[in-house]
Amino acid sequence: MQLYQRQLSRVLQRPSLSAGFLTSSRRNVGFLKPLDWVKERLGPGVKELQSEEEIQAAKEKAKQEGTGGLFEEVEIVTPTSPKPSKELKLFGKRETPKTKPDSHKYSTANFKISHRKLNMLGRQISGKPIDYAILQMQFSEKRASKRIMNMLATARDHAARYKRLEESKLVVAEAWVTKGPRTPTRIEPRGRGHYGTRTHPASKLTVVLKEGKTLEQQKADARKRKLKKIVSAALVREDRPIRNPSPTWASVFAASQSFENEAIVRSVELGGSIVHVTTTYAVKALDGGSKTYTIALGRDEREHSSWLEAKVKGSITPLPLKERSSQPNNKYTLLDVTLPKALPAGQTINLVLEAIQSHVTHPWPETSGQNEDQALKYTTNLFVLSPYATTVQRTKIKARNPQIISYTTPERVSNFVTEGEAASKSGATVTYGPFNDIPPSTSTTFLGKYQQPVTIHYGHDQPVLEILSLNRMVEISHWGANVNTQDDMVLHNAGPKLKGHFSRLEHQTQAFYKRQAPHVLPALTLHLPAGVRNTYYYDLVGNVSTSRLRVAPSVPKNKQGTSFSVLELKPRYPILGGWNYTFTLGWDSPLNDMASYDKSTGRYIVEVPIMTPILGAVVNTEELKIVLPEGATDLEFSTPFAPVSTSLGVHTTYLDTIGRPTITFNYKDLTVKHADNVYVSYKLSTMAHLQKPMAVATAFFALFTLGLIARRVDLTLHQKPKKK
């Protein structure tokens, strides 16, 4: 570059070539004609083609005379062209070698949530495999969990599609929360002309996905670490399946090879005499073609379960549920659920087991004063039993109010807790878990070492009701087109027993200030069928007039209506803990609302409600007696669930000749879920319809004939002489 500048300056210092040209041109103009000069200078001419030697010689001569051009004076150094490289593209651009990205960053948009609340979800998914993190958000009850789950699914797809990361190895390596823009402060009106301010914070969650160990690899590493800890003297540990198992263990072991539980979430809703338990199983098929999934329930849990129903999550159709026969000394019961279709290997399905438990709570303390609060205790097992291996398991126990007095802290579970505590309380919810990497829990070793009862002591603000016995009689009359229903109930308050004597003054004071004690039952509300009439209510003393009935109109057969009649009952005295109340309730219903006739078969079909549900109450025993019309034949019935026992009999009442056929059903531990209908079908001939009026006519004719004969027959022994 410096050489080029020196040569350029030397050339510029010389006399201008253009100046010499102009001088010679001016000198020759005077000797030539102007037009000829223009033609000579500007007209086209023939250009001779010169050879390379002549051109080079002319350049050397011009250089010696100093009349060369500017670019001819400068030595242009042409760089040597490098050898073609493999890194050059087609258009000559240099291509830098690309390295495979090792991470993918993704975040949510700013949304209305506190950064502290969002940080809890961030800690929950940090360090977890991506599929496991999505599963955690799927079963989380936090409001923002659904948004985080969608974000993780999108980040996983983007990392696999755009960054070419292996999806099965993705791990949430980092997760952090960033505060969003500050929203304007809003004014919150308050009492007495005051006001306050309220600010709605916003934040977002950012995650970084990297390739790491899969869940199976983490399990294998954890297994190796545990095996290394096993040290024994002169013993050899065989890490192999059980050989020659017993028949029960053979079926359980075979089942454990077909499925795997990715997650088990149990939700317990505490109540009075009824506890609602919902268990969700995230099932993954290990072998293709399996269609039967096995559920295990503890022995006490199965004995107190009044209602069991299994279905696919999001579906309303129940799945077939069959209970296996078990040995008397077994600590669990196995239930087989038939799936809608066989699952191929690797596919997952979510199953929901709904159970209603009765008689699982008891008052503590067992006695309380008339104006004291009520507290109950509930005991259940810590782990949800399953013959399959479980990745993660959690149990949430919820009460009606945040008054959780105490709860059990589990022991010997440190092997299954990776972070946090085994038991925690938040408001009215007590959470046990999450517990990770749980082996099949139906083994004797697991039951003896890790399974343990947990107890929740909580306050309950509703009376604990039980119906000790319920006798329902339903009489069907075709002549009166009427169905009469009568219930004889023995109502029991299973709350804490009254300590001391009952005070009417204290009761009236509580009613006046609307501060009724939670274990006192002052009134009762029942839902009766629509279109009832002639309702009556009495107890052992006599008729009770403190009731109110609101009758709903009858619903046509072709329409499904949800209307019902409301009956508000107020007993003679408030029912306190440990007290009983015996009463009778009856009503009449139109036969058209409950019966139908099939002309093709000539059969009558009548639907009879099993019970009148009382919210929160359990019926210990019930006897349902259905009295059919006299002369009914070919009796058939269909029940929604199997009764304890069934029997046939005859009921005789006024104007009956041979009696009315009856069907008696006996039930045990009924809840609101059992409030269904029994369908009874029978035939009734024309002669059976005329049997009762013919009997009445025959009786009347016989009485008339007897009177006629008695009028004409003289039964006196001595006739009186006639007077003349």
Side-chain angles (χ1 to χ4, degrees):
M1 187 67 184
Q2 295 178 357
L3 177 62
Y4 172 77
Q5 292 178 353
R6 289 197 300 269
Q7 293 178 356
L8 180 61
S9 61
R10 187 171 62 251
V11 171
L12 293 176
Q13 292 175 0
R14 295 179 182 179
S16 177
L17 298 177
S18 59
F21 173 76
L22 293 175
T23 305
S24 60
S25 300
R26 293 191 191 99
R27 185 173 56 249
N28 296 330
V29 168
F31 300 97
L32 299 175
K33 296 180 180 181
L35 294 178
D36 296 339
W37 183 84
V38 171
K39 290 181 180 180
E40 181 181 355
R41 295 295 180 182
L42 302 179
V46 179
K47 186 176 181 180
E48 297 180 357
L49 183 62
Q50 297 178 350
S51 62
E52 291 292 338
E53 291 79 3
E54 294 177 351
I55 295 174
Q56 192 66 25
K59 288 182 178 181
E60 291 293 338
K61 183 178 179 180
K63 184 177 181 181
Q64 293 176 1
E65 295 178 354
T67 59
L70 175 63
F71 295 99
E72 294 176 357
E73 293 289 337
V74 180
E75 295 182 1
I76 300 176
V77 181
T78 59
T80 59
S81 60
K83 295 182 180 180
S85 175
K86 296 182 180 180
E87 299 178 356
L88 296 179
K89 283 189 175 181
L90 179 63
F91 299 101
K93 295 182 180 179
R94 186 179 182 86
E95 180 184 5
T96 58
K98 286 188 176 181
T99 59
K100 181 181 178 181
D102 59 347
S103 63
H104 178 65
K105 181 180 177 182
Y106 202 78
S107 66
T108 63
N110 289 312
F111 62 100
K112 189 173 71 174
I113 189 175
S114 171
H115 65 280
R116 293 184 179 89
K117 296 180 180 179
L118 190 58
N119 195 31
M120 296 172 62
L121 296 177
R123 289 198 302 266
Q124 187 175 354
I125 64 176
S126 179
K128 303 292 190 303
I130 184 65
D131 294 334
Y132 184 77
I134 293 175
L135 193 65
Q136 288 283 341
M137 294 296 100
Q138 180 181 357
F139 290 99
S140 177
E141 296 183 357
K142 300 294 184 181
R143 179 174 57 88
S145 60
K146 187 175 182 180
R147 185 189 295 263
I148 304 302
M149 181 186 68
N150 296 335
M151 183 269 291
L152 291 176
T154 305
R156 178 189 59 184
D157 297 341
H158 287 186
R161 181 179 300 176
Y162 303 120
K163 300 296 182 65
R164 304 299 180 185
L165 300 178
E166 190 171 350
E167 183 176 342
S168 60
K169 294 184 178 181
L170 289 179
V171 177
V172 183
E174 301 177 27
W176 65 88
V177 177
T178 307
K179 291 184 179 180
R182 187 178 181 86
T183 57
T185 303
R186 299 181 181 179
I187 296 177
E188 181 182 7
R190 294 182 180 176
R192 297 185 178 182
H194 297 275
Y195 69 93
T197 59
R198 174 172 293 185
T199 304
H200 296 282
S203 57
K204 68 176 182 178
L205 177 67
T206 306
V207 296
V208 175
L209 304 184
K210 293 183 179 181
E211 290 185 354
K213 293 184 179 181
T214 62
L215 196 59
E216 288 76 10
Q217 293 176 350
Q218 293 181 4
K219 290 182 181 179
D221 295 344
R223 181 179 177 83
K224 290 180 181 179
R225 289 194 301 269
K226 292 179 181 179
L227 290 178
K228 289 181 180 179
K229 295 180 181 179
I230 300 177
V231 180
S232 59
L235 294 177
V236 179
R237 183 184 185 279
E238 294 185 0
D239 187 18
R240 299 178 182 177
I242 301 176
R243 293 190 293 266
N244 299 327
S246 62
T248 304
W249 271 103
S251 60
V252 175
F253 180 75
S256 63
Q257 307 299 317
S258 303
F259 296 97
E260 180 186 18
N261 297 320
E262 292 189 348
I264 297 179
V265 178
R266 177 175 56 174
S267 178
V268 181
E269 297 181 5
L270 299 177
S273 58
I274 292 177
V275 175
H276 193 180
V277 181
T278 303
T279 308
T280 304
Y281 299 84
V283 182
K284 179 181 180 181
L286 301 180
D287 297 334
S290 300
K291 196 176 180 180
T292 302
Y293 179 80
T294 303
I295 295 176
L297 295 178
R299 183 173 55 187
D300 296 340
E301 186 178 359
R302 180 64 187 95
E303 291 177 355
H304 291 93
S305 295
S306 303
W307 176 268
L308 286 174
E309 185 180 60
K311 55 187 176 182
V312 180
K313 186 177 182 180
S315 175
I316 60 175
T317 304
L319 300 177
L321 192 64
K322 183 179 180 182
E323 182 175 353
R324 294 188 191 178
S325 58
S326 59
Q327 301 295 332
N329 56 351
N330 280 0
K331 296 183 179 180
Y332 58 87
T333 302
L334 298 179
L335 304 173
D336 292 335
V337 181
T338 304
L339 303 180
K341 60 179 180 179
L343 295 180
Q347 188 174 351
T348 60
I349 188 174
N350 293 335
L351 298 179
V352 178
L353 178 66
E354 184 179 359
I356 294 183
Q357 300 177 357
S358 58
H359 307 292
V360 290
T361 61
H362 62 277
W364 190 262
E366 298 180 352
T367 60
S368 64
Q370 188 173 342
N371 57 352
E372 295 180 358
D373 293 335
Q374 174 183 239
L376 305 177
K377 275 190 175 183
Y378 170 74
T379 303
T380 185
N381 292 325
L382 175 62
F383 291 98
V384 179
L385 300 182
S386 178
Y388 312 103
T390 304
T391 303
V392 61
Q393 181 182 135
R394 180 187 287 110
T395 298
K396 292 187 176 182
I397 304 177
K398 304 177 184 178
R400 288 177 56 92
N401 53 58
Q403 189 182 358
I404 303 295
I405 302 173
S406 64
Y407 58 92
T408 304
T409 302
E411 301 176 352
R412 307 184 305 275
V413 294
S414 58
N415 296 337
F416 308 116
V417 179
T418 57
E419 59 181 8
E421 299 180 355
S424 60
K425 174 184 173 296
S426 176
T429 304
V430 177
T431 304
Y432 288 96
F435 302 115
N436 301 299
D437 300 333
I438 302 175
S441 53
T442 52
S443 63
T444 307
T445 304
F446 186 91
L447 293 175
K449 186 175 181 180
Y450 300 110
Q451 186 66 292
Q452 52 190 294
V454 292
T455 302
I456 308 295
H457 190 198
Y458 63 99
H460 191 62
D461 55 0
Q462 296 291 335
V464 183
L465 301 181
E466 294 182 6
I467 298 178
L468 301 181
S469 64
L470 170 61
N471 296 327
R472 166 166 286 196
M473 177 179 289
V474 180
E475 296 186 16
I476 302 173
S477 174
H478 281 249
W479 273 100
N482 183 65
V483 177
N484 177 261
T485 304
Q486 179 173 308
D487 292 341
D488 296 328
M489 296 187 188
V490 179
L491 185 64
H492 174 68
N493 190 337
K497 296 181 180 180
L498 178 63
K499 181 170 57 178
H501 298 283
F502 172 71
S503 173
R504 175 65 67 174
L505 177 61
E506 183 69 25
H507 173 67
Q508 294 293 342
T509 304
Q510 293 176 356
F512 179 79
Y513 289 105
K514 297 182 180 180
R515 293 198 301 258
Q516 198 75 43
H519 56 87
V520 178
L521 179 65
L524 195 64
T525 302
L526 300 177
H527 291 169
L528 304 183
V532 297
R533 58 178 184 267
N534 301 330
T535 305
Y536 54 93
Y537 160 52
Y538 60 89
D539 56 11
L540 296 177
V541 178
N543 186 33
V544 182
S545 60
T546 54
S547 61
R548 181 185 178 189
L549 176 64
R550 296 192 294 272
V551 180
S554 300
V555 180
K557 295 180 182 179
N558 298 331
K559 295 184 180 180
Q560 294 183 355
T562 57
S563 60
F564 46 82
S565 302
V566 179
L567 176 62
E568 298 177 359
L569 303 180
K570 191 173 183 181
R572 295 180 183 272
Y573 51 86
I575 305 174
L576 280 76
W579 291 13
N580 297 337
Y581 182 65
T582 304
F583 64 95
T584 299
L585 176 65
W587 64 87
D588 293 335
S589 300
L591 183 61
N592 294 334
D593 295 349
M594 305 175 63
S596 60
Y597 179 71
D598 188 0
K599 294 182 179 180
S600 60
T601 59
R603 303 183 67 89
Y604 291 92
I605 302 174
V606 182
E607 55 177 346
V608 179
I610 295 178
M611 57 177 290
T612 299
I614 298 178
L615 188 62
V618 57
V619 181
N620 294 350
T621 59
E622 180 189 358
E623 181 184 77
L624 174 61
K625 180 181 290 186
I626 302 176
V627 182
L628 302 177
E630 189 177 15
T633 57
D634 297 339
L635 306 182
E636 295 180 359
F637 57 87
S638 175
T639 58
F641 48 89
V644 177
S645 62
T646 306
S647 60
L648 300 177
V650 177
H651 177 75
T652 304
T653 182
Y654 59 93
L655 297 180
D656 287 342
T657 55
I658 59 175
R660 304 182 183 184
T662 62
I663 306 175
T664 304
F665 303 94
N666 293 315
Y667 293 100
K668 182 181 179 181
D669 295 337
L670 300 182
T671 61
V672 179
K673 286 288 187 179
H674 297 87
D676 210 333
N677 298 324
V678 174
Y679 292 90
V680 180
S681 174
Y682 56 90
K683 289 184 178 181
L684 194 64
S685 61
T686 305
M687 292 301 298
H689 280 286
L690 299 177
Q691 186 173 354
K692 191 176 291 295
M694 289 177 61
V696 173
T698 303
F700 181 77
F701 182 75
L703 184 62
F704 177 77
T705 304
L706 183 61
L708 184 62
I709 295 174
R711 179 70 178 83
R712 293 182 177 274
V713 174
D714 188 7
L715 300 178
T716 58
L717 297 178
H718 302 282
Q719 294 183 357
K720 295 181 179 181
K722 296 181 179 180
K723 295 181 179 180
K724 295 182 179 180

